[in-house]
Amino acid sequence: MKVRKFAVAEAVFERSPDQDDDIFAANMVDERDGGPVTIGYGRYGPDQTLSETMAVDDTMIILEGRLSVSTDAGTVTAGPGEIIYMPRGETVTIRSHAEGAVTAYVTWPHWREARS
């Protein structure tokens, strides 16, 4: 795989698997490219909620808007330029706020393979 650059404008968003909310993902690099991680963008509509047990280690960089992530240990909220790390095995609830959110993410291993 060679060095590549990505922009949100190039992303093709798909609804996140197994949910009906206004939450979308766009993988830019994944298992099909032969790299060890998945890299992409996420888009959350206003006031959306996603609860799951993390199948992968997931790092989200907030580009626009705000997200809150809650676990048994508490809640963290992040805005533009901030990063949220969610370790594999942690049960989380991700909530977007009134303005929605756009994120960049890196997961290890590949989240599509881990969900299979």
Side-chain angles (χ1 to χ4, degrees):
M1 194 165 112
K2 61 184 176 184
V3 173
R4 295 167 60 190
K5 178 179 105 174
F6 305 103
V8 174
E10 301 167 344
V12 177
F13 288 92
E14 299 175 12
R15 189 172 303 279
S16 290
D18 303 325
Q19 59 86 31
D20 296 321
D21 292 329
D22 189 14
I23 302 171
F24 298 87
N27 287 358
M28 305 305 280
V29 172
D30 58 24
E31 64 278 1
R32 298 169 288 191
D33 300 294
V37 297
T38 295
I39 300 168
Y41 294 105
R43 188 177 71 214
Y44 295 75
D47 301 312
Q48 299 298 300
T49 301
L50 174 65
S51 295
E52 67 178 297
T53 299
M54 301 305 298
V56 297
D57 288 295
D58 190 339
T59 303
M60 285 193 309
I61 302 98
I62 313 306
L63 303 175
E64 300 174 13
R66 286 184 309 139
L67 288 177
S68 293
V69 178
S70 299
T71 68
D72 288 340
T75 300
V76 296
T77 299
E82 296 180 308
I83 299 170
I84 297 176
Y85 169 68
M86 297 170 288
R88 184 182 344 192
E90 186 78 52
T91 298
V92 301
T93 298
I94 303 169
R95 182 179 60 86
S96 62
H97 296 261
E99 68 273 27
V102 176
T103 67
Y105 58 79
V106 178
T107 72
W108 182 88
H110 301 293
W111 66 264
R112 283 187 192 191
E113 291 180 343
R115 290 182 65 97
S116 303

